[in-house]
Amino acid sequence: MGQKVNPNGMRLGITHSWGSTWFARGTKFRDLLLEDVMIRKYVNNRFKDAGISSIEIERNKKTSLTILTSKPGVIIGKQGAAIEELRKDLEKKFGGFFEVNIQEIRNPDADAHVIAETVQGQISRRMPYRRAAKMAIEKAMQAGAVGIKVRIAGRLNGAEISRSELFKEGNIPLQTLRANVQFAKRHAPTSYGTIGVQVWVYTGMVFSKV
């Protein structure tokens, strides 16, 4: 089972909590859920190279966004100009009142989303995929990860037939629910097609309640 499902969804309420915190009934639930998806898509597209790991959404009287990123300066901008512009654009696009908070990731080299974004960017810039994957794995292990796995798939090196290659180091217990495993995937556009990047990072067991 650990090989067939998304490790993030499998561990909700065990090693980490939900990304959206609010309650609604009936059709309002559907509308807010779709809005959450659109907000995340909008922010990720706007800051493609900002090292965004996750976007947490909380709804009370206003919608509060907490963006976890490895490059907070890119989103905040000079004297907070970019973050204020983002807040105004969100209010204009989705309506209501928005509050945007930025949190810096303490250990970006061991964050699955940041690693996937880095590998994706390097492959898009025509760096050899093996070198990109091995560098990411080496940095993650030095940053304190217990195990990491990177799968790259597609027309690797422009080959006629697509294939996938797996790079792995350390231990990744995907079936252990208490194992803090982060999963991320990205798509790297290249001149010979799209290359898929999947990253699993294991940082240790979690025994306290979320």
Side-chain angles (χ1 to χ4, degrees):
M1 181 60 81
Q3 304 291 336
K4 301 176 185 69
V5 299
N6 189 308
N8 301 330
M10 192 179 180
R11 289 166 175 79
L12 275 175
I14 300 168
T15 62
H16 57 273
S17 187
W18 282 258
S20 296
T21 310
W22 46 265
F23 179 80
R25 297 179 189 275
T27 55
K28 195 180 178 186
F29 177 87
R30 180 197 63 192
D31 295 340
L32 291 179
L33 179 63
L34 287 170
E35 191 178 289
D36 278 9
V37 173
M38 295 298 289
I39 288 169
R40 287 193 174 96
K41 204 171 186 178
Y42 177 75
V43 174
N44 280 315
N45 287 337
R46 183 163 174 153
F47 302 103
K48 284 185 179 177
D49 300 317
I52 294 174
S53 174
S54 66
I55 300 167
E56 296 172 4
I57 300 172
E58 190 176 333
R59 294 179 188 271
N60 289 312
K61 291 178 182 177
K62 59 185 174 184
T63 306
S64 178
L65 264 68
T66 304
I67 302 172
L68 278 81
T69 174
S70 61
K71 301 172 187 172
V74 175
I75 301 173
I76 295 167
K78 195 174 181 181
Q79 295 180 340
I83 197 170
E84 185 61 26
E85 191 182 334
L86 172 64
R87 187 186 63 78
K88 286 176 181 175
D89 288 348
L90 286 168
E91 288 179 357
K92 194 185 292 182
K93 189 173 175 66
F94 298 103
F97 298 100
F98 276 81
E99 182 183 295
V100 182
N101 303 306
I102 308 297
Q103 274 187 21
E104 187 176 4
I105 301 167
R106 291 179 184 174
N107 196 5
D109 287 336
D111 187 281
H113 297 274
V114 177
I115 293 167
E117 187 182 288
T118 304
V119 174
Q120 170 208 4
Q122 289 171 341
I123 291 171
S124 297
R125 291 191 296 272
R126 300 195 172 197
M127 180 186 278
Y129 68 93
R130 284 194 184 94
R131 187 178 165 199
K134 285 175 181 176
M135 278 172 60
I137 288 170
E138 192 179 325
K139 279 186 179 179
M141 295 304 285
Q142 285 173 359
V146 182
I148 177 172
K149 183 165 72 170
V150 179
R151 177 180 280 131
I152 300 173
R155 291 182 59 191
L156 303 177
N157 287 341
E160 284 293 319
I161 298 171
S162 64
R163 66 184 193 275
S164 70
E165 281 201 29
L166 187 67
F167 305 88
K168 184 181 174 185
E169 192 168 331
N171 181 33
I172 304 171
L174 293 178
Q175 290 186 330
T176 309
L177 292 177
R178 282 284 167 200
N180 188 10
V181 177
Q182 258 193 336
F183 172 73
K185 61 180 177 181
R186 293 284 190 277
H187 299 99
T190 65
S191 57
Y192 41 79
T194 302
I195 304 294
V197 178
Q198 290 181 311
V199 178
W200 293 258
V201 176
Y202 169 51
T203 54
M205 293 288 180
V206 176
F207 294 101
S208 58
K209 288 186 178 180
V210 173

